[in-house]
């Protein structure tokens, strides 16, 4: 086929990029080669718009065993064990077909983890949908949640946490970010490297069909009206096959036969072959006639670009073929030798005896275009920043405001969602969904890990840099509230069209904010994913850099939950409330304004609060710890009273503060943790707070049935729980 | 006391069952791949939860024809103890070792939650350590747990005391007579939708399930 | 020969899926809908000598695997190809 300018354009390649291809090859590419370049150089695979900014992340630390660039990041947690984790987006496919899109998103992230030799132990999902009343929201929510449940439950990996938010900025582009956490012995980690001339290259898993051809390029495009008709390119997930694939691969990797292994995700066979060759400084000869096919008459182009799910590629030692066949036979999986490792740095693809592609690995993998795209501070910021509270009236009833906040789908209990996820399979989930972070024990050790995902995209919209910092800070605070020491971060950076300078500016600012936050909290970024083009007809989503964080508990017994435990306990606020109201849920929900600056952070104070809380938890003094975030102090107090399934408690609170009362109750100042403890431990907590110079205020006591704050709020907590428990279903389901 | 746990392709609570049975019994637990055609010497066989064969066609329908199943049936006929949990229960009703069928939850959704159960029959080897009619708390996690049997069968199993566990208070999935677990006539085969292996340690929120394993021992 | 097998819940067995679909149809404005039952439709090819033999085989398949006769009923057609 003659390569015309039009064909080049259809492949999402610019004329300059095509010139570069001609230079690399020294000739015109074949059609197959053009396909290979187009997926390898798509935004999704090459990070061409984001790479120069991602370099700003801190990625090193004594705990880091594997930095970004591999299938997932790995951190050392002692006892010879390591945690493998990563978050990835599946936004575009989930909008087009929510069940399958979300399901295959979970499938993909699971493969990233077990490819490295780790057994997945937990899943989390950070979800963003359009306005609750938007006609598609309900359908998308049902589909996405069922898809996540359908895949994760069948695999037997507990889904233990995540987020669900609604905002009109996601009306045309929902976000489905899936995170997986796995456990591996430190000396049994596998990498995606091909090595050893003559070694066989194995293909294992589902047969290849025409699914998802150009999925990677689809994720690199904005939506228009025709997007919904792109349905046929969405892949269908088969969690049963993936479960077999996972067990078979883990069994395979317990032997010495595997040299390197890579899953086939976006850009399928193309990406896995080229990356493995590149990393091992070798070439690969691939014979497409050996690839197990589901459909007849597939062309080499289709075979190379198919994104059929549940497939892996691995290089094994020469004499291992018999043993390997035996393992996969046991698990009823297709396995075939589809190629050999060869000398040199070229991948050659053969089809019916003919060489249909011959491409050098290094230039494709490493010389991918890199853009320093133009940036410009968005015009809207002038308007949002230039806003004062003066015209905003004080509420008539603070109790009513509290009820409205608890009844907003963003703040209400998400049990409708997590009730559909098996969150206990594996018998390791110590803190179930519904607290600040999920906590998993690690069988055979005293240790545990805490995991959370966080991002307040409204903050990021109003100030992407501070939004990034705040997301990291909140994640760290959630880890600390559960009793964990923050260890490392994965991220999923969801933005609009990077060719728009204002979006690119948001991206750069958010990345720099996250980088700064991660340096402060000592949590390097070890893996992540960028999703651009979350934009429909010029309407971009709020910048949404989701942070996934892991923390470690040296003694699992010290884990803590957010709810009050006993009436009579003393309630203490670590941290302080300032005159901060920008971007708050209160302002949006009650006054319908998205404006102001997000809360600021004084790093010293933030660290003091976290250190004090963690030391008090490990000392065994705290009965509960809860991060104050959306909805402010009043909502945090209410949640601490009502989120316990064994029955609600109350609180008698006296706040001494001269702030505007709505800000005092519903403002979202950062660096605040609400804790409860028995009176006898109060002096110890006070002492630790003093050592760390942590602001400390006794707010009141845990009582039985009412939440009373000054003379402002006096509500029966049973009623508050009723609102909070039923709102999600009433308003979105 | 020697336990064995059968593993089908798609089982995913097998490791959890091995962990608990091993902890409680103190003996090594045999993991048995479904292609086995003979059983080692065992006292109790656990058919664990999960999605055998992806729950394709109907949960348990395909596992029923695994090579190990004739051995499981023979073991049950000899009086060996067989415990089916969740998908294991579904497999046991498909094979006919237990009466009835498990249909899609009335809500049509997967339900993972904590339920209260009443112990209806504590005269069995599986339940002898539970006080009569005591209430216990256990997790459930299933899409097809809605117990069905025709009225004749229902009457028979009620009359014979074959209903072992009943949901107390809320009926989460629409099961007839709120049935959460049943046994065969002889009382040596038990199927239940709740997961006792998930509440066998205080760290995981209780010991109510541990009693079941202690009863067996 | 081509086989088309239809598996549905028996009359009298509650069909929550059917109920949900019926409710949805009515709320979409399709009046007069009742008795919706959701089932499975299974097709496959079979190579046997006669249609009678095919019937016998498929009957056994339904009894043994394709339907759970505690709750489901089945019917099938065989089409000469």
């Amino acid at each position: 086929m003659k390569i015309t300018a039009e064909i080049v354009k259809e492949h999402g390649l610019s004329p300059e990029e095509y010139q570069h291809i001609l230079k690399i090859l020294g000739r015109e590419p074949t059609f197959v080669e053009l396909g290979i370049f187009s997926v390898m150089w798509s935004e999704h695979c090459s990070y061409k718009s984001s790479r120069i900014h991602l370099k700003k992340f801190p990625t090193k630390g004594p705990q880091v065993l594997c930095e970004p660039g591999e299938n997932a990041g790995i951190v050392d947690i002692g006892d010879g064990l390591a945690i493998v984790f990563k978050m990835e987006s599946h936004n575009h496919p989930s909008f087009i077909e929510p069940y399958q899109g979300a399901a295959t998103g979970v499938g993909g992230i699971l493969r990233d983890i077990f490819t490295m030799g780790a057994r997945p132990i937990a899943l989390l999902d950070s979800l963003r949908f359009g306005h609750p009343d938007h006609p598609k929201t309900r359908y998308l929510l049902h589909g996405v949640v069922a898809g996540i449940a359908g895949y994760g439950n069948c695999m037997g990996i507990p889904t233990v946490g995540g987020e669900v938010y609604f905002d009109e900025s996601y009306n045309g582009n929902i976000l489905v970010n899936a995170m997986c956490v796995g456990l591996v012995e430190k000396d049994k980690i596998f990498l995606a490297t091909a090595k050893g001339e003559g070694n066989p290259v194995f293909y294992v898993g589902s047969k290849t069909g025409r699914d998802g051809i150009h999925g990677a390029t689809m994720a690199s495009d904005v939506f228009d009206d025709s997007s919904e008709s792109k349905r046929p390119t969405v892949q269908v997930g088969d969690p049963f096959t993936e479960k077999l694939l996972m067990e078979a691969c883990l069994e395979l990797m317990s032997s010495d036969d595997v040299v390197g292994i890579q899953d086939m995700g976006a850009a399928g066979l193309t990406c896995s072959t080229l990356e493995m060759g590149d990393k091992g400084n070798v070439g690969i000869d691939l014979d497409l006639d050996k690839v197990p096919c589901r459909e007849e008459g597939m062309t080499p182009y289709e075979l190379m670009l198919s994104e059929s799910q549940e497939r892996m590629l691995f290089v094994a030692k020469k004499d291992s073929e018999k043993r390997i066949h035996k393992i996969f036979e046991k698990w009823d999986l297709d396995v075939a030798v589809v190629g050999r490792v060869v000398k040199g740095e070229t991948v050659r693809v053969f089809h019916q005896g003919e060489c249909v592609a011959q491409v050098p690995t290094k230039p494709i993998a490493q010389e991918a275009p890199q853009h320093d795209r133009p940036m410009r501070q968005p015009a809207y910021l002038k308007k949002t920043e230039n806003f004062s509270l003066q015209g905003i009236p004080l509420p008539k009833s603070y109790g009513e405001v509290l009820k409205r906040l608890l009844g907003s789908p963003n703040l209400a209990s998400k049990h409708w969602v997590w009730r559909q996820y098996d969150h206990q399979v594996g018998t390791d989930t110590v803190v179930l969904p519904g607290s600040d972070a999920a906590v998993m024990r690690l069988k055979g050790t005293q240790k545990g890990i805490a995991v959370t995902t966080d991002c307040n995209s409204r903050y990021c919209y109003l100030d992407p840099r501070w939004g990034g910092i705040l997301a990291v800070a909140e994640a760290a605070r959630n880890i600390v509230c559960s009793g964990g020491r923050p260890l490392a971060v994965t991220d999923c950076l969801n933005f609009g069209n990077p060719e728009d300078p204002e979006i690119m500016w948001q991206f750069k600012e958010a990345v720099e904010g996250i980088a700064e936050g991660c340096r402060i909290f000592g949590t390097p970024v070890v893996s992540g994913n960028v999703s651009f083009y979350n934009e429909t007809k010029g309407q971009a989503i709020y910048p949404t850099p989701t942070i996934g964080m892991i923390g470690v508990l040296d003694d699992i017994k010290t884990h803590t939950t957010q709810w009050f435990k006993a009436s009579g306990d003393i309630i203490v606020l670590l941290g302080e409330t300032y005159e901060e109201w920008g971007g708050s849920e209160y302002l949006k929900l009650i006054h319908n304004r998205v404006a102001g600056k997000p809360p600021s952070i004084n790093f010293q104070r933030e660290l003091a609060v976290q250190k004090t809380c963690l030391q008090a938890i490990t000392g065994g003094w705290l009965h509960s710890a809860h991060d104050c975030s959306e909805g402010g102090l009043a909502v945090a107090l209410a949640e601490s009273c009502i989120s316990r399934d064994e029955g609600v408690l109350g609180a008698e609170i006296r706040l001494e503060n001269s702030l505007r009362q709505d800000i005092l109750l519903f403002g979202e100042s950062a660096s605040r943790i609400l804790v409860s403890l028995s009176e006898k431990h109060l002096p110890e907590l006070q002492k630790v707070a003093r050592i760390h110079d942590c602001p400390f205020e006794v707010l009141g006591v845990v009582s039985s049935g009412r939440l009373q704050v000054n003379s402002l709020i006096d509500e029966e907590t049973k009623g508050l729980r009723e609102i909070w428990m039923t709102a999600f279903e009433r308003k979105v389901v | 006391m020697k336990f064995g746990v059968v593993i089908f392709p798609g089982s995913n609570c097998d490791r959890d069952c091995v962990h608990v049975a091993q902890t409680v019994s103190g003996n090594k637990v045999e993991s048995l791949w479904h292609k086995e055609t003979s059983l080692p010497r065992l006292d109790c066989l656990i058919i664990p939860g999960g999605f055998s064969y992806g729950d394709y066609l109907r949960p348990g329908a395909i596992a029923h024809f695994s090579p190990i199943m004739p051995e499981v049936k023979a073991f049950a006929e000899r009086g060996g103890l067989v415990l089916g949990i969740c998908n294991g229960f579904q497999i046991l009703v498909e094979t006919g070792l237990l009466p009835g069928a498990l249909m899609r939850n009335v809500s049509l959704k997967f339900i993972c939650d904590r339920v209260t159960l009443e112990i209806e029959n504590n005269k069995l080897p599986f339940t002898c350590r539970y006080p009569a009619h005591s209430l216990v708390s256990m997790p459930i996690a299933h899409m097809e747990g809605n117990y069905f049997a025709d009225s004749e069968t229902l009457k028979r199993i009620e009359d014979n005391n074959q209903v072992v566990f009943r949901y107390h208070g809320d009926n989460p999935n629409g099961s007839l007579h709120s049935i959460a677990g049943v046994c065969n006539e002889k009382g040596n085969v038990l199927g239940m939708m709740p997961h006792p292996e998930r509440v066998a340690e205080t760290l995981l929120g209780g010991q109510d399930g541990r009693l079941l394993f202690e009863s067996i021992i | 020969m081509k086989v088309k097998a239809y598996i549905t819940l028996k009359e009298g067995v509650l069909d929550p899926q059917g109920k949900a679909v019926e409710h949805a149809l009515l709320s979409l404005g399709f009046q007069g809908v009742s008795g919706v039952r959701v089932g499975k439709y299974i097709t496959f090819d079979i190579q046997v000598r006669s249609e009678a033999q095919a019937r016998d085989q498929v009957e056994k398949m339904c009894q043994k695997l394709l339907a759970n006769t505690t709750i489901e009923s089945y019917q099938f057609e065989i089409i000469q190809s």
Side-chain angles (χ1 to χ4, degrees):
Chain A
M1 188 187 288
K2 177 90 188 118
I3 308 295
T4 63
E6 200 157 301
I7 292 177
V8 171
K9 192 166 168 236
E10 273 169 16
H11 278 78
L13 291 163
S14 70
E16 298 79 47
E17 286 166 357
Y18 186 65
Q19 285 308 315
H20 194 173
I21 293 172
L22 293 178
K23 211 178 107 202
I24 288 171
L25 292 177
R27 60 177 164 82
E28 246 187 35
T30 64
F31 190 53
V32 179
E33 287 166 345
L34 188 72
I36 290 173
F37 274 97
S38 96
V39 290
M40 287 301 289
W41 287 3
S42 68
E43 188 67 59
H44 189 79
C45 293
S46 74
Y47 294 90
K48 59 186 166 193
S49 303
S50 56
R51 252 183 8 252
I52 60 161
H53 298 291
L54 298 177
K55 285 180 196 147
K56 298 168 189 166
F57 284 143
T59 58
K60 298 198 187 318
Q63 71 272 51
V64 178
L65 297 177
C66 199
E67 297 176 31
E70 279 295 336
N71 281 301
I74 308 186
V75 287
D76 192 342
I77 54 162
D79 292 345
L81 295 173
I83 295 291
V84 183
F85 68 110
K86 188 184 181 187
M87 181 158 39
E88 202 161 70
S89 65
H90 228 216
N91 305 336
H92 299 81
S94 300
F95 184 78
I96 291 172
E97 165 42 52
Y99 185 98
Q100 293 299 343
T104 51
V106 172
I109 196 69
L110 280 163
R111 280 195 299 285
D112 278 335
I113 301 306
F114 71 74
T115 302
M116 304 199 75
R119 181 171 280 277
I121 56 168
L123 286 164
L124 296 92
D125 300 281
S126 173
L127 311 178
R128 300 282 186 296
F129 297 96
H131 190 279
D133 297 333
H134 187 271
K136 290 204 78 168
T137 297
R138 187 177 174 275
Y139 157 76
L140 291 167
L141 171 73
H142 274 262
V144 165
V145 171
I148 290 168
Y151 212 102
N153 296 354
C154 182
M155 287 290 294
I157 314 300
T159 300
V160 300
E163 310 164 274
V164 187
Y165 285 104
F166 302 88
D167 189 281
E168 43 271 40
S169 86
Y170 306 103
N171 280 353
N173 295 80
I174 61 171
L175 301 185
V176 175
N177 295 176
M179 171 170 165
C180 183
V181 182
L183 184 65
V184 67
E185 285 173 44
K186 234 169 91 175
D187 52 2
K188 298 216 172 114
I189 295 167
F190 285 83
L191 300 178
T193 309
K195 267 190 202 137
E197 209 179 313
N199 277 343
V201 178
F202 283 85
Y203 167 115
V204 58
S206 292
K207 292 180 166 60
T208 298
R210 291 189 173 91
D211 330 47
I213 290 170
H214 280 302
T217 35
M218 176 168 86
S220 311
D221 204 357
V222 290
F223 274 176
D224 54 34
D225 286 333
S226 70
S227 295
E228 277 170 69
S229 63
K230 284 185 181 164
R231 214 174 268 266
T233 60
V234 171
Q235 319 90 317
V236 170
D238 179 0
F240 173 57
T241 297
E242 175 130 319
K243 166 77 175 163
L244 302 185
L245 190 61
M246 176 177 83
E247 296 297 342
C249 286
L250 291 175
E251 192 173 324
L252 174 73
M253 289 187 274
S254 68
S255 74
D256 281 336
D257 289 334
V258 180
V259 174
I261 177 164
Q262 165 82 310
D263 78 301
M264 286 189 243
L269 207 45
T270 295
C271 196
S272 48
T273 316
L274 281 153
E275 283 189 4
M276 286 185 79
D278 169 46
K279 286 193 181 131
N281 304 315
V282 295
I284 290 176
D285 276 359
L286 202 58
D287 183 358
L288 294 180
D289 300 335
K290 302 276 168 53
V291 172
C293 290
R294 203 180 65 221
E295 298 177 65
E296 276 177 40
M298 288 188 66
T299 65
Y301 180 90
E302 290 170 330
L303 285 163
M304 288 304 289
L305 268 57
S306 163
E307 293 189 359
S308 287
Q309 298 286 298
E310 293 92 24
R311 303 179 301 161
M312 309 280 271
L313 201 72
F314 63 91
V315 175
K317 290 182 186 155
K318 266 170 228 158
D319 55 352
S320 61
E321 291 183 30
K322 252 201 193 133
R323 288 190 297 274
I324 286 171
H325 277 284
K326 209 170 148 205
I327 289 176
F328 290 104
E329 221 162 81
K330 171 183 166 189
W331 292 98
D332 292 322
L333 289 166
D334 276 316
V335 62
V337 176
V338 295
R340 296 267 161 202
V341 175
V342 294
K343 223 191 198 146
E345 290 171 352
T346 302
V347 166
R348 292 192 298 171
V349 182
F350 294 90
H351 183 248
Q352 295 171 358
E354 202 185 315
C355 181
V356 292
Q358 178 164 359
V359 290
T361 55
K362 297 274 168 215
I364 297 191
Q366 295 176 8
E367 283 175 37
Q370 175 165 307
H371 300 309
D372 186 358
R373 295 197 185 272
M375 290 175 279
R376 186 177 65 237
Q377 182 166 346
Y380 71 80
L381 284 175
K382 285 227 169 61
K383 240 184 1 211
T384 57
E385 282 170 14
N386 189 9
F387 170 79
S388 90
L389 267 192
Q390 266 166 2
I392 300 286
L394 284 171
K396 287 199 190 70
S397 159
Y398 292 90
E400 282 310 308
V401 171
L402 176 61
K403 286 188 208 162
R404 279 185 66 191
L405 284 165
L406 291 173
S408 106
N410 285 342
L411 268 53
S413 166
K414 308 293 188 298
H415 68 278
W416 180 88
V417 176
W418 75 64
R419 203 168 178 251
Q420 297 182 55
Y421 303 151
D422 189 339
H423 44 259
Q424 283 173 293
V425 60
T427 58
D428 290 325
T429 320
V430 173
V431 176
L432 310 183
S435 196
D436 283 20
V439 177
M440 314 291 299
R441 60 113 171 245
L442 304 173
K443 285 190 190 101
T445 75
Q446 299 300 307
K447 288 197 163 112
I449 56 164
V451 281
T452 181
T453 68
D454 288 287
C455 178
N456 183 321
S457 62
R458 204 181 296 136
Y459 293 171
C460 295
Y461 172 72
L462 295 172
D463 187 333
R465 177 177 295 261
W466 276 104
I469 295 174
L470 284 159
V472 180
E474 187 180 346
R477 231 177 291 130
N478 283 334
I479 296 287
V480 163
C481 285
S482 307
R485 180 162 39 81
L487 200 61
V489 157
T490 181
D491 58 33
C492 196
L493 310 174
N494 310 274
F495 287 78
N497 183 350
E499 295 154 48
D500 175 342
E502 297 195 346
I503 301 287
M504 208 53 224
W505 184 86
Q506 289 179 336
F507 182 78
K508 180 210 72 166
E509 288 286 301
V511 165
E512 289 176 2
I514 291 169
E516 187 170 355
C518 286
R519 264 191 294 273
I520 300 289
F521 301 110
T523 52
V525 178
V526 295
S527 60
N529 163 244
V530 178
S531 169
F532 279 129
Y533 298 99
N534 294 288
E535 185 162 326
T536 301
K537 294 184 215 162
Q539 273 301 315
I541 58 161
Y542 280 171
T544 315
T546 313
I547 299 298
M549 193 181 281
I550 299 286
V552 68
L553 290 81
D554 292 320
D555 180 1
I556 185 69
K557 285 194 227 75
T558 63
H559 70 272
T560 302
T561 46
Q562 70 178 33
W563 43 88
F564 295 145
K565 303 297 184 300
S567 59
D569 275 356
I570 306 294
I571 300 168
V572 172
L573 179 68
L574 304 176
E576 268 175 306
T577 309
Y578 295 89
E579 191 168 345
E580 292 173 315
W581 36 266
S584 63
E585 187 72 21
Y586 164 72
L587 207 57
K588 162 81 180 168
L589 189 77
I590 307 296
H591 301 291
N592 199 25
R593 299 298 285 264
V594 176
K597 275 283 209 184
S600 63
I601 288 194
N602 172 316
F603 291 123
Q604 234 171 351
R605 194 173 67 232
E606 176 75 50
L607 286 169
V609 167
Q610 291 187 19
K611 278 186 192 152
T612 304
C613 182
L614 192 56
Q615 200 171 334
I617 288 175
T618 42
W621 313 326
L622 297 190
H623 283 164
S624 74
H626 186 22
D627 168 40
C628 270
S629 54
E630 289 104 334
L633 190 54
V635 166
L637 280 164
E639 286 171 345
S640 295
C641 292
I642 64 180
S643 57
R644 191 175 76 139
D645 283 331
E646 292 81 16
V648 297
L649 286 167
E652 285 168 27
I653 302 295
R654 182 82 222 145
L655 300 178
E656 310 279 353
N657 200 314
S658 58
L659 287 174
R660 241 181 94 127
Q661 287 172 330
D662 53 350
I663 294 174
L664 178 60
L665 290 174
F666 308 115
E668 298 179 5
S669 282
S671 318
R672 293 181 301 167
I673 295 177
L674 192 65
V675 304
S676 72
L677 70 169
S678 135
E679 197 169 0
K680 66 171 189 251
H681 290 305
L682 195 58
E684 287 151 306
L685 179 62
Q686 236 157 347
K687 198 173 136 202
V688 172
R690 230 184 348 256
I691 292 171
H692 293 300
D693 199 17
C694 168
F696 175 102
E697 186 186 355
V698 174
L699 300 186
V701 291
V702 178
S703 64
S704 54
R706 299 188 78 81
L707 173 61
Q708 294 164 305
V709 184
N710 295 357
S711 57
L712 304 171
I713 292 173
D714 185 3
E715 298 288 338
E716 237 189 7
T717 45
K718 225 172 115 194
L720 296 180
R721 179 172 163 96
E722 176 69 19
I723 292 169
W724 179 75
M725 285 293 281
T726 57
F728 193 88
E729 238 169 305
R730 272 187 287 118
K731 295 187 176 159
V732 250
V733 176
Chain B
M1 188 71 195
K2 193 92 181 130
F3 283 93
V5 175
V6 182
I7 306 170
F8 297 94
S11 293
N12 64 30
C13 302
D14 45 315
R15 293 151 51 88
D16 304 354
C17 289
V18 168
H19 175 76
V20 171
Q22 215 145 272
T23 313
V24 177
S25 73
N27 294 329
K28 188 178 180 309
V29 173
E30 297 281 344
S31 292
L32 304 160
W33 184 234
H34 76 118
K35 286 180 187 165
E36 305 282 337
T37 50
S38 67
L39 296 181
R41 274 183 58 105
L42 294 170
D43 303 299
C44 178
L45 202 51
I46 301 176
I47 320 280
F51 288 68
S52 59
Y53 292 94
D55 272 4
Y56 297 150
L57 194 62
R58 285 183 315 279
I62 302 178
H64 167 194
F65 296 101
S66 274
I68 202 171
M69 286 315 286
E71 286 303 310
V72 174
K73 280 186 202 166
F75 178 76
E77 268 154 32
R78 290 198 300 272
L81 299 181
V82 179
L83 169 62
I85 301 167
C86 200
N87 188 232
F89 185 15
Q90 294 163 340
I91 295 170
L92 293 177
V93 296
E94 281 282 342
T95 57
L97 279 170
L98 291 173
L102 291 152
M103 299 184 20
R104 182 70 76 88
N105 298 339
V106 172
S107 65
L108 300 177
K109 298 220 176 302
F110 189 97
I111 304 171
C112 179
D113 211 340
R114 206 62 188 234
V115 294
T116 305
L117 300 173
E118 183 168 353
I119 310 289
E120 292 280 358
N121 180 343
N122 72 336
K123 304 280 186 288
L124 299 172
F126 304 99
T127 54
C128 53
R129 284 182 190 253
Y130 289 101
H133 294 283
S134 55
L135 297 181
V136 297
S137 167
M138 282 189 204
I140 53 168
H142 58 249
M143 179 72 108
E144 280 93 359
N146 176 357
Y147 187 80
F148 175 87
D150 58 43
S151 47
E152 228 171 274
T153 310
L154 269 181
K155 183 170 182 320
R156 197 179 69 235
I157 61 174
E158 291 282 8
D159 291 349
N160 282 344
N161 277 327
Q162 283 172 249
V163 175
V164 183
F165 302 104
R166 218 187 288 276
Y167 300 111
H168 180 84
D170 281 347
N171 177 345
N173 48 29
S175 290
L176 289 178
H177 292 203
S178 292
I179 288 171
V182 296
C183 65
N184 63 349
E185 248 171 78
K186 281 201 305 200
N188 65 319
V189 179
L190 170 67
M192 60 193 298
M193 288 316 296
H195 286 274
E197 81 280 13
R198 296 187 184 183
V199 270
E201 292 169 72
T202 316
L203 186 63
L204 300 178
Q207 302 251 18
D208 282 0
R210 189 184 171 97
L211 268 186
L212 189 139
F213 295 91
E214 285 175 353
S215 297
I216 297 173
I217 295 162
Chain C
M1 273 169 268
K2 201 160 201 64
V3 180
K4 298 181 175 183
Y6 307 88
I7 320 288
T8 46
L9 285 174
K10 278 181 179 166
E11 286 299 320
V13 174
L14 177 75
D15 177 2
Q17 258 188 107
K19 248 173 65 181
V21 172
E22 183 169 315
H23 179 76
L25 287 172
L26 291 170
S27 65
L28 284 171
F30 294 101
Q31 309 248 315
V33 175
S34 68
V36 176
R37 310 287 281 174
V38 173
K40 296 186 191 98
Y41 170 49
I42 302 170
T43 63
F44 52 93
D45 296 327
I46 186 169
Q47 279 189 336
V48 282
R49 259 168 274 134
S50 67
E51 186 172 329
Q53 202 187 351
R55 286 201 170 278
D56 179 56
Q57 291 275 306
V58 177
E59 181 76 32
K60 281 186 185 139
M61 290 179 194
C62 288
Q63 285 278 350
K64 243 185 132 169
L65 175 68
L66 300 182
N68 175 353
T69 52
T70 309
I71 45 171
E72 292 170 325
S73 55
Y74 59 87
Q75 56 194 95
F76 56 84
E77 16 177 333
I78 290 170
I79 300 158
Q80 295 281 354
S81 52

